[in-house]
Every structure is written in C-alpha cells, then in structure tokens.
Amino acid sequence: MTDARRPRAATRAPRTGRPRRAAPFGLRTRLVLAFLLVAAVSAGTTAALTYREARNAVLAGAQDTAVTSFREQAETLAPTLPVDPDMLRETLFVIAAKAKPHPWIVFAEYGSLRVSSGTSPTSSVVTPELRRTTLSTPHGGFQRVVKNGIPYLTIGMPVVTRTSAGSSVPTGLLLFAVMRMTDEQSDVDALLTAARNGALPALAIALVPALIAARSVLRPVRALNRAARSMGSGRLDTRIQVRGSDELADLASTFNESAGLLEHSVDALQQAEARARRFASDVSHELRTPLAGMLAVTEVLDEDADGLDPDTARAVRLISAETGKLAVLVEDLMEISRFDARAAELNTDEVDAAETVRKTLDHRHWGDRVRTELRDGIRIRLDPRRFDLVVANLVGNALRHGGEPVTVRLDRGTTAEGAEVLITEVTDNGPGIRPEVLPHIFDRFYKADAARGRSAGSGLGLAITQENVRLHGGTVRAANGPQGGAVFTVELPLHDRPGTEEAQE
C-alpha cells in the first residue's frame, strides 16, 4: 500500500523546456579569450613601448654622433671668398674622410655653385625644408629621409666667419652631409622581429593560467548548475560545498540558505496539503454512511410528500434536494482525494465511442435536450466509467450554465504532432465564457459569478473532468464558439497506451 502523503516532488521529476543547445561561446571560452586579450594587450603594449624606446636610442645615437662630428668639421672650415670650386672640392673630400659613424657624402652650395665629394654635385635627398632651416639657423639642422626604401640622415650646416667682436657672420656657403642609415634600420628591424617573436610565446604561455583561472571560476558555477538541476528534479535537500571566502563562496552560501528556506517552505506546504487531503478523505468517508441513510429517508418522504400539507411538502422536497446535492459533493470530494493521493486507476476496455456517448445521454434522460453528431465505428481503449463522467459533466455543465440546444460531436482527428486522437466536442447556445473566466474554468470550486453564493453542482465537476482526461493521457480545453456559446473539446489518444498514474490500495 502506497503512502498517500508522499511528497509529489519525490515521485515525479518535472522535465520542462526544450533541450538546451551548447552555446558557441561558453563561459570558459569567454574567460580564456578575455584573459588572452588582456595578455595580448599587455604584451603588445610592452613590446611597442620597448621597440619605440630602443629604436629611438639606436637612431638618436647614430644621429647625435653624425651631427656633432659634421658640426665640428663645418666650424673649422674657413673658406676664402670668392670660393674656388677645386679647392672647395678638396675640402669636402677631407670632411668626408672624417665621417662618423658611417661614410658621408658632402655637398656644398654657394650661390649657383654646386660641388660634392661624390659623383653628383647635388643630392635629391636634401629637401627644400632643410635648406631653409640651414639658411635661417646658425647651427643648421638635420632630417631623417626615406627614399626608395633606404633611410638617410641629412645634415645641413651654414659656414660662418668670426669677427673680432666675437660675432658670427654667414658666408653664404652651405654644407650638407648625407649618410645612409641601413645598419641602424637593420638593428631596428631586428628589434621589431624580437618584440614580435617574444609576444607570441608570451600569449601561448598565458593560455595555461587562463585555463587554470577559467577552471577555478567554472567549478563552482558547474556545481551551482548541478545543484539547481537537482532541486528542479525534486531533491530539495541538495547543497553546495562552500570553498574559500570569495564572491563565488558567498554565492554558494546564499544558494544553500535559499535552498534550506525553500525546503522548509515546501515541506510545510506538503504537510498542509497532506493534512487537507486526509481531512477531505476522512470527512467524505465519515459522511458517506449517514448520507446513505438520509437519502433512503428522503426517498420515502418524497413518495409521501403529496399527502402532506403544502408547507411540510415544500420542506420535505427541499431537504431531499439538498441531501442529494450533499451526496454529490461527498462523492466528488472522494474522487478528488483519490486523484490527489495518486490512487486513481484506469480499468480500461475497448469500446465503441459513439455507443458509449449515447448510453451516457440515455442514462440521464438527456436524449430530447441534446443533439448528437456522432461518428460511428470508432473503437478506443479507455475506462468506460471515467469517460461516462467526462461526457456527463460537460453536458450537464452546458445544460445548467449554457443555453439549449446542446450539441455533442464525436469524430476522429490528429494533433499537431501527427498523433491520432478521438475528439469529443460539447457546445451550447448560451452567452459563452467571459475572457477573465477562461483561465480558471477548470479550477476547483471556482465561481464564474462572484456574487453567486450557491450553484446546482459541487464546483468540482470540471476539475474532475480534467483529471480523468489527464489520466487517459488526453487534453481538455474550453473556448467560445465563433457564433457564441461555450465549446469544450476533449482529445483522447486512439492508439497510444494511456499514461496511467496507478497506485494499489
């Protein structure tokens, strides 16, 4: 014998929602990518700053040496004016021979005169801007120029004479030195290659701590995920082991506290629900025997009511009617308590669906009040007694709260998934169901009219109907027809075996 008070969560683990697809970029991937991005930015920034400083140091060293040396040579030059081209060329050879740190080619300009220590009297590397700077500045100037992919250092220096007063007087002679910087460029390229080659291994090495950090972060997250799934399947005593004292440990502690409170609340609700079910079941059982005696007495009184005075006859008929309602309520409460205790079971048999509906209507003398559109020849395996209750509750509800004529339709159909079902439809000609009532139409003891204190039924008929349909593995729904009136539709599987929830008593 099963325990009717067994917690529902422990007997059936709900599985809702669609199967999850693996995210293309999970938390682990995002953490590793973020770690690598930080490492790449750090390595790139360090390499760029190191490269820049090293490049400036290499270029500045060669540049300062060349500029200082050329300035010294230009200051020692005291040309005789007017300038003799042959003597000036000899002087340029002397200056070029003392070049530091690399060989120079020296160019001289005096008015329209152009002389050099090389094969060409002029240089295409010397820019007009450097010429202007050399003319306007006593100390000259320099530029780094790249031509045809070759880096050059160009230096411009004006030749001046010293007066007896110690001032400098420009002679109009301009000297330019052009030096290739291919060695420095090679050193700079080597620095760039070294910086790039050093950054790539750094990223590969950074992958190891990235994976370790991602694992340390994901371990408590996975534990939280497993715990949440475990609680969702009904194991409310699930807890997470708290490790450390960081934010993830605080999250685990908070989860454990929340899970404890939830377990306590659910236990209290389950105990209250079990007490309520026991109370309803016990009261129903206790009332059943005296009600049987009362019904027998009221039947006798009903037979003799015509011989009583009018007031007594009305009282007798009222007592008889109310006793009948009480008997129906007790039977419905007992039926509901069996569903709640999971003690309801199916006693199936293969029947003709149309014939079963006709028997239901004839047994309750509704043949002249209900129209039928029944498709004959549909065989289905179901519990005849429970299917009789389903049809009777729906038709009785339509006759009480809807408007005649009431129509019962029976046909074969298919669901959206392609499963074959038996469709039973009950419609009436009444005002229909208000939109705010539709979501609660199958709730227990729900009253569509809040001002209505009493009704002809027990308030459990539609709830029992829904439970019986579910027990067969089917569905029931309520709606309003396009021409008005309520429409109740029941779909029962034709070939699938009903999903029973049986418990042996």
Side-chain angles (χ1 to χ4, degrees), residues 48-368:
L49 292 176
T50 303
Y51 165 76
R52 188 186 68 177
E53 294 300 323
R55 174 179 178 274
N56 290 340
V58 169
L59 295 179
Q63 172 184 291
D64 293 345
T65 301
V67 171
T68 301
S69 177
F70 187 65
R71 181 177 288 119
E72 291 175 354
Q73 297 299 322
E75 288 177 351
T76 60
L77 179 63
T80 354
L81 299 178
V83 176
D84 181 20
D86 294 332
M87 293 181 60
L88 182 59
R89 184 176 293 107
E90 292 296 330
T91 303
L92 297 181
F93 283 136
V94 173
I95 296 175
K98 298 179 180 180
K100 293 180 182 179
H102 304 300
W104 301 332
I105 298 177
V106 185
F107 298 87
E109 296 181 2
Y110 183 77
S112 60
L113 178 64
R114 301 290 185 270
V115 181
S116 76
S117 62
T119 57
S120 176
T122 59
S123 173
S124 60
V125 179
V126 178
T127 63
E129 181 182 359
L130 180 60
R131 286 191 177 90
R132 288 192 297 270
T133 302
T134 304
L135 283 171
S136 60
T137 307
H139 301 291
F142 63 90
Q143 276 186 332
R144 287 200 294 264
V145 181
V146 178
K147 185 175 182 181
N148 298 328
I150 302 174
Y152 295 91
L153 175 65
T154 58
I155 309 170
M157 196 68 63
V159 177
V160 297
T161 58
R162 303 289 180 179
T163 63
S164 56
S167 60
S168 300
V169 179
T171 62
L173 176 63
L174 304 179
L175 297 180
F176 298 96
V178 177
M179 182 183 73
R180 284 194 177 195
M181 301 187 73
T182 51
D183 292 344
E184 286 76 13
Q185 185 62 42
S186 298
D187 293 340
V188 169
D189 292 342
L191 287 172
L192 179 60
T193 302
R196 183 177 61 248
N197 293 341
L200 293 178
L203 287 180
I205 294 173
L207 182 61
V208 176
L211 291 173
I212 295 174
R215 182 181 178 184
S216 64
V217 172
L218 289 177
R219 186 186 297 112
V221 173
R222 290 196 182 101
L224 180 62
N225 182 39
R226 288 192 298 269
R229 287 179 176 272
S230 179
M231 290 190 64
S233 64
R235 294 185 288 273
L236 300 181
D237 57 345
T238 303
R239 299 294 183 270
I240 302 175
Q241 183 178 359
V242 180
R243 299 177 179 176
S245 58
D246 55 5
E247 289 82 358
L248 292 174
D250 292 340
L251 177 61
S253 300
T254 303
F255 177 87
N256 290 340
E257 293 173 3
S258 302
L261 294 174
L262 179 61
E263 183 181 16
H264 177 73
S265 300
V266 170
D267 286 342
L269 289 174
Q270 288 177 344
Q271 291 173 9
E273 183 182 3
R275 288 194 298 269
R277 287 199 303 266
R278 277 200 312 273
F279 174 77
S281 178
D282 294 343
V283 169
S284 300
H285 279 289
E286 293 297 329
L287 289 176
R288 200 172 189 181
T289 300
L291 273 175
M294 293 174 63
L295 285 173
V297 172
T298 55
E299 288 179 3
V300 174
L301 292 176
D302 275 340
E303 293 176 358
D304 298 336
D306 293 337
L308 302 175
D309 61 89
D311 292 337
T312 304
R314 281 194 301 271
V316 167
R317 292 189 179 95
L318 178 61
I319 292 174
S320 178
E322 294 301 322
T323 303
K325 292 179 183 179
L326 184 58
V328 172
L329 176 59
V330 169
E331 290 296 329
D332 288 347
L333 284 173
M334 292 184 65
E335 186 73 10
I336 283 291
S337 66
R338 281 192 288 269
F339 282 116
D340 290 341
R342 302 186 181 279
E345 58 183 5
L346 288 176
N347 296 311
T348 61
D349 190 12
E350 186 173 332
V351 298
D352 184 290
E355 186 62 28
T356 303
V357 172
R358 292 190 185 97
K359 288 180 179 179
T360 298
L361 300 179
D362 293 341
H363 179 69
R364 290 164 179 82
H365 308 289
W366 288 338
D368 57 341

Side-chain angles (χ1 to χ4, degrees), residues 380-448:
I380 182 172
R381 190 167 190 84
L382 46 72
D383 188 326
R385 183 185 71 84
R386 295 188 182 279
F387 185 64
D388 173 80
L389 286 176
V390 168
V391 176
N393 283 340
L394 293 180
V395 174
N397 185 75
L399 292 173
R400 282 193 303 271
H401 304 295
E404 297 186 26
V406 173
T407 303
V408 179
R409 296 183 178 89
L410 192 71
D411 204 349
R412 187 189 298 265
T414 55
T415 63
E417 293 77 18
E420 201 168 8
V421 293
L422 173 70
I423 300 177
T424 307
E425 187 179 84
V426 178
T427 63
D428 61 55
N429 200 33
I433 307 171
R434 296 197 305 274
E436 67 272 14
V437 174
L438 274 174
H440 309 284
I441 196 68
F442 294 103
D443 292 353
R444 299 176 184 181
F445 300 108
Y446 180 76
K447 296 181 180 180

Side-chain angles (χ1 to χ4, degrees), residues 27-43:
L27 184 57
R28 174 194 288 273
T29 305
R30 293 199 297 270
L31 285 173
V32 172
L33 290 178
F35 199 98
L36 291 180
L37 178 61
V38 172
V41 171
S42 301

